[in-house]
């Protein structure tokens, strides 16, 4: 009973200490609020996969020409990444403005700078999309719609409503601009429509009577680490699903750059999911949604529906997000992942994991670290259990066979202090096998020790027992050693066999001599320390007297060393046979 309680305490100490070490390792890349396991589904915001400073490659003007006039962008002041120009040139040929328009725009900017008057910004939802209205300065108004709002917007601007007096001309103009917008989106560009008007007062509708200025196409470069991270996800059996408010063509182009889809990619827009009921959806609809890689123009409630859909169909869902609207989906997901740098406080509070560097690759690093932690926990539990099983079996079989007691109580206590603690600690610092990220995610309901692990515990414990009792019997009946000296042989055989048992903890798919165990420097430190303590227990008179370990002579020592290698050899043979199948 004392031995069982002591072993349980050792397991608890080792487990707790190593989990602290694992948590410290994770802290270097991310902040964890609760434990996160491998996920079968990883839903990602498109904004988390691109750089934070988008380039502005082109502007499509009303005459169809494409250029990049800084002065136009400066006047419009669109976004923090566009330079604000305080001095506009009067050359109309470059920017598409008449001289009088340029003079008025310069007056507008100077007035705002001189008076310090702030602009009034109105963020409006047009259907499921967005538009931004800015008033200020000289009572003029600019509107910047994006997404599907462009189609709504094209019907309300001067080139299509007034300048095109014939219906067919209006439709042709609208179709031409829609085609330009779709072409840009198909190249992975984010499209922003620019319009303006002069209003008589602040109460006038900012979205009526607008004059189209052009389209700004923003290129968001893909993060350099994203393609490798996506590839690691796919190799690990994790499906990545992109949820974005961007145009479907834009999302598809960026996803292809990510390497997520080599052939045809299924894209579904959020409008198709407005009436989706997760509880009553038919099998065909559910199958189509689960097979979809991109959901474009999705609203916050749609994200929540999709998370629920995946969970209802047995998937573990990790959801990334940074905005206030992402909070419900982050809370609902099994693993809510918020951005530590650009994420809102609401999103961080709703998440269970916070990325300190906002990098998608950090999620993959955390996933690998989690798999290593889980594998190491399983390894040292198997190691400790097999060692303790062997001790119980050695004593039980010897007593049942009528042999002298092969181990004394103090010797068993010494074994638990030496051969259990230090190698178990060393196993906890393993870096995992080479193929750890090529394995499919485990079932979350799976126990740490399943039937296969219990099988190996019994087999390894049996091998060590066989070697120990074999050495004990040979010492007694073949070498004619005295019972106390035979006990020393049994003790040394069991102690050394338990030390070599640590090499049996390697992954079956790894190599014999170079693997996650042999490359772990802590293992060799633990083996050296334990070997020294075992040697002192036999060679030091004071220790050998207390433990009852008289010197068995060179023959007894050679027998113990040779028999202790039997369990290691048998295990490696079984692994080789398994690999050859």
């Amino acid at each position: 009973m004392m031995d069982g309680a002591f072993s349980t305490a050792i397991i608890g100490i080792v487990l707790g200490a190593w989990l602290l070490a694992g948590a410290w390792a994770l802290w270097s890349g991310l902040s964890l609020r609760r434990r996160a396991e491998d996920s079968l589904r990883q839903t990602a915001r498109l904004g988390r996969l691109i750089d934070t400073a988008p380039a502005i490659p082109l502007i499509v003007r009303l005459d169809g020409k494409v250029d990049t006039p800084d002065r136009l962008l400066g006047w419009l002041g669109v976004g923090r990444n566009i330079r604000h120009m305080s001095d506009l040139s009067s050359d109309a040929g470059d920017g598409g403005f008449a001289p009088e328009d340029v003079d008025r725009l310069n007056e507008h900017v100077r007035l705002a700078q001189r008076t310090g008057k702030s602009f009034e910004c109105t963020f409006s939802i047009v259907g499921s999309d967005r538009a931004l209205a800015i008033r200020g300065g000289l009572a003029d108004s600019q509107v910047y719609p994006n997404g599907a709002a462009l189609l709504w917007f094209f019907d309300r601007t001067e080139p299509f409503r007034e300048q095109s007096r014939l219906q067919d001309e209006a439709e042709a103009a609208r179709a031409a601009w829609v085609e330009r917008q779709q072409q840009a989106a198909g190249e992975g560009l984010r499209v922003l429509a620019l319009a303006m008007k002069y209003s008589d007062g602040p109460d006038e509708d900012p979205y009526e009577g607008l004059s189209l200025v052009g389209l700004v196409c923003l290129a968001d470069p893909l993060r350099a680490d994203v393609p490798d991270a996506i590839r690691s996800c796919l190799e690990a059996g994790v499906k990545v699903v992109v949820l974005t408010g961007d145009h479907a063509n834009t999302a598809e182009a960026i996803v292809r750059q990510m390497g997520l889809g080599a052939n045809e990619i299924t894209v579904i827009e959020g409008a198709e999911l407005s009436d989706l009921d997760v509880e009553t959806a038919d099998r065909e609809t559910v199958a189509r949604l689960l097979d979809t890689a991109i959901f474009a123009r999705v609203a916050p409630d749609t994200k929540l529906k999709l998370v629920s859909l995946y969970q209802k169909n047995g998937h573990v869902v990790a959801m990334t997000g940074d905005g206030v609207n992402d909070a419900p989906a982050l809370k609902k997901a099994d693993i809510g992942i918020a951005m530590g740098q650009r994420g809102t406080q609401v999103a961080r509070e709703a998440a269970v994991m916070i990325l300190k560097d906002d990098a998608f690759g950090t999620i993959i690093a955390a996933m690998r670290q989690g798999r290593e932690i889980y594998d190491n926990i399983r390894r040292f539990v198997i190691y400790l259990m097999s060692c303790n099983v062997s001790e119980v079996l050695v004593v039980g079989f010897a007593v049942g066979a009528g042999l002298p007691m092969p181990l004394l109580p103090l010797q068993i206590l010494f074994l638990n202090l030496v051969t259990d603690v230090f190698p178990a600690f060393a196993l906890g610092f393993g870096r995992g096998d080479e193929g750890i990220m090529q394995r499919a995610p485990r079932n979350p309901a799976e126990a740490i020790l399943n039937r296969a692990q219990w099988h190996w515990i019994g087999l390894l414990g049996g091998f060590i027992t066989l070697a120990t009792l074999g050495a004990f019997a040979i010492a007694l009946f073949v070498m004619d050693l005295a019972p106390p000296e035979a006990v020393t042989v049994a003790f040394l055989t069991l102690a050394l066999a338990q030390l070599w048992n640590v090499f049996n903890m390697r992954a079956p798919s790894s190599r014999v001599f170079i693997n996650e165990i042999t490359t772990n420097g802590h293992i060799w430190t633990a083996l050296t320390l334990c070997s020294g303590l075992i040697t002192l227990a036999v060679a030091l008179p004071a220790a050998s007297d207390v433990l009852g370990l008289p010197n068995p002579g060179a023959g007894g020592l050679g027998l113990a060393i040779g028999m202790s290698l039997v369990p290691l050899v048998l295990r490696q043979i079984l692994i080789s046979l398994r690999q050859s199948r």
Side-chain angles (χ1 to χ4, degrees):
M1 182 179 297
M2 181 186 70
D3 179 53
F6 187 81
S7 298
T8 303
I10 291 297
I11 292 175
I13 293 172
V14 173
L15 182 61
W18 194 81
L19 285 177
L20 286 176
W24 177 259
L26 282 173
W27 183 255
S28 62
L30 42 88
S31 172
L32 293 177
R33 306 176 74 100
R34 294 201 298 270
R35 182 173 64 90
E37 300 178 352
D38 288 344
S39 62
L40 299 180
R41 296 276 174 161
Q42 167 71 45
T43 58
R45 285 282 304 279
L46 197 57
R48 306 288 69 77
L49 306 175
I50 56 178
D51 277 340
T52 57
I56 305 171
L58 56 88
I59 293 178
V60 183
R61 303 189 324 214
L62 285 179
D63 56 7
K65 295 181 179 179
V66 176
D67 55 18
T68 56
D70 288 341
R71 58 205 181 102
L72 173 62
L73 299 178
W75 166 65
L76 294 171
V78 183
R80 61 181 179 179
N81 297 301
I82 301 178
R83 295 187 298 274
H84 186 88
M85 307 294 292
S86 60
D87 184 17
L88 295 175
S89 170
S90 60
D91 181 8
D94 188 8
F97 290 111
E100 59 271 19
D101 290 330
V102 174
D103 293 339
R104 180 175 178 82
L105 299 181
N106 275 322
E107 183 181 356
H108 172 94
V109 173
R110 287 193 295 270
L111 176 62
Q113 293 176 338
R114 185 173 62 254
T115 62
K117 181 178 179 180
S118 60
F119 294 100
E120 175 187 351
C121 301
T122 303
F123 186 80
S124 301
I125 301 297
V126 183
S128 62
D129 298 277
R130 296 155 296 281
L132 175 67
I134 299 180
R135 294 193 184 94
L138 299 178
D140 50 16
S141 176
Q142 303 102 48
V143 179
Y144 318 121
N146 68 349
L150 290 171
L151 304 181
W152 165 89
F153 172 72
F154 288 156
D155 290 331
R156 287 164 173 76
T157 50
E158 293 293 345
F160 310 133
R161 294 196 313 110
E162 296 182 6
Q163 295 179 7
S164 300
R165 302 184 180 278
L166 299 178
Q167 184 64 27
D168 56 348
E169 293 181 3
E171 289 299 326
R174 182 182 187 277
W177 279 99
V178 170
E179 182 180 357
R180 291 185 182 121
Q181 181 260 335
Q182 292 179 346
Q183 180 181 0
E187 296 176 0
L189 302 176
R190 288 182 169 180
V191 183
L192 186 69
L194 308 178
M196 62 171 291
K197 77 170 185 178
Y198 301 122
S199 59
D200 296 330
D203 296 331
E204 186 175 340
D205 187 350
Y207 301 112
E208 292 295 335
L210 296 168
S211 296
L212 181 64
V213 175
L215 301 179
V216 172
C217 303
L218 305 175
D220 291 321
L222 199 65
R223 290 177 181 262
D225 63 329
V226 168
D228 290 339
I230 295 296
R231 184 168 55 255
S232 298
C233 276
L234 298 179
E235 292 175 351
V238 178
K239 180 176 181 179
V240 180
V241 180
V242 176
L243 311 181
T244 179
D246 286 327
H247 190 279
N249 293 348
T250 302
E252 182 177 353
I254 295 178
V255 165
R256 289 192 183 279
Q257 295 176 27
M258 293 159 44
L260 192 55
N263 300 315
E264 183 178 355
I265 300 178
T266 304
V267 184
I268 294 180
E269 296 193 2
E272 300 181 42
L273 305 176
S274 57
D275 298 328
L276 174 66
D277 189 335
V278 175
E279 300 298 330
T280 61
D282 58 81
R283 292 184 179 180
E284 183 179 350
T285 300
V286 171
R288 185 170 67 94
L289 294 178
L290 295 180
D291 193 48
T292 300
I294 305 173
F295 294 91
R297 295 174 180 167
V298 292
D301 61 326
T302 304
K303 297 177 185 177
L304 195 60
K305 291 179 181 179
L306 292 173
V307 171
S308 301
L309 179 71
Y310 286 124
Q311 291 175 329
K312 186 175 183 294
N313 287 272
H315 296 289
V316 178
V317 181
M319 172 75 187
T320 64
D322 58 2
V324 174
N325 291 335
D326 295 326
L330 291 173
K331 192 73 174 178
K332 176 66 176 175
D334 299 281
I335 310 168
I337 306 173
M339 304 300 112
Q341 296 180 357
R342 292 180 292 165
T344 61
Q345 183 65 28
V346 175
R348 290 196 293 268
E349 289 295 328
V352 298
M353 179 188 293
I354 301 173
L355 298 182
K356 297 171 66 176
D357 58 1
D358 289 7
F360 190 79
T362 304
I363 301 176
I364 311 304
M367 189 185 305
R368 180 183 178 88
Q369 187 74 39
R371 292 189 178 192
E372 290 176 353
I373 291 174
Y374 188 84
D375 283 357
N376 289 336
I377 290 175
R378 176 172 281 180
R379 281 193 184 97
F380 73 69
V381 169
I382 294 175
Y383 174 78
L384 290 174
M385 292 293 292
S386 60
C387 290
N388 282 275
V389 165
S390 66
E391 294 170 8
V392 173
L393 292 179
V394 164
V395 175
F397 279 119
V399 172
L403 297 174
M405 184 70 71
L407 294 173
L408 302 179
L410 278 179
Q411 294 171 0
I412 295 175
L413 183 62
F414 181 85
L415 290 174
N416 283 323
L417 279 171
V418 175
T419 61
D420 285 357
V421 177
F422 298 111
F425 266 120
L427 282 173
F429 289 95
R431 298 301 302 169
D433 62 277
E434 296 177 354
I436 193 170
M437 290 303 291
Q438 280 72 50
R439 302 199 308 249
R442 64 177 179 83
N443 188 337
E446 179 182 288
I448 291 181
L449 297 180
N450 55 29
R451 179 176 298 181
Q453 275 72 52
W454 283 111
H455 169 78
W456 281 114
I457 288 173
L459 202 60
L460 293 174
F463 289 161
I464 297 174
T465 301
L466 179 64
T468 303
L469 291 179
F472 186 56
I474 292 173
L476 283 174
F477 304 117
V478 177
M479 300 179 65
D480 292 326
L481 295 180
E485 294 175 349
V487 167
T488 302
V489 172
F491 170 82
L492 290 176
T493 302
L494 180 61
L496 294 176
Q498 290 182 348
L499 291 184
W500 313 147
N501 189 39
V502 75
F503 295 109
N504 291 328
M505 299 300 109
R506 72 178 179 91
S509 59
S510 62
R511 290 175 287 181
V512 177
F513 297 106
I514 301 178
N515 51 62
E516 68 276 13
I517 304 299
T518 59
T519 56
N520 184 351
H522 300 284
I523 292 291
W524 296 105
T525 301
L527 292 181
T528 302
L529 176 61
C530 292
S531 298
L533 293 175
I534 293 172
T535 301
L536 291 176
V538 177
L540 196 64
S544 63
D545 291 342
V546 172
L547 295 173
L549 296 172
N551 193 329
L557 293 175
L559 174 63
I561 294 173
M563 292 299 289
S564 69
L565 294 172
V566 171
L568 176 62
V569 173
L570 292 177
R571 165 65 168 164
Q572 301 308 312
I573 291 175
L574 291 179
I575 292 179
S576 299
L577 291 175
R578 181 178 177 181
Q579 290 177 340
S580 63
R581 291 179 182 175

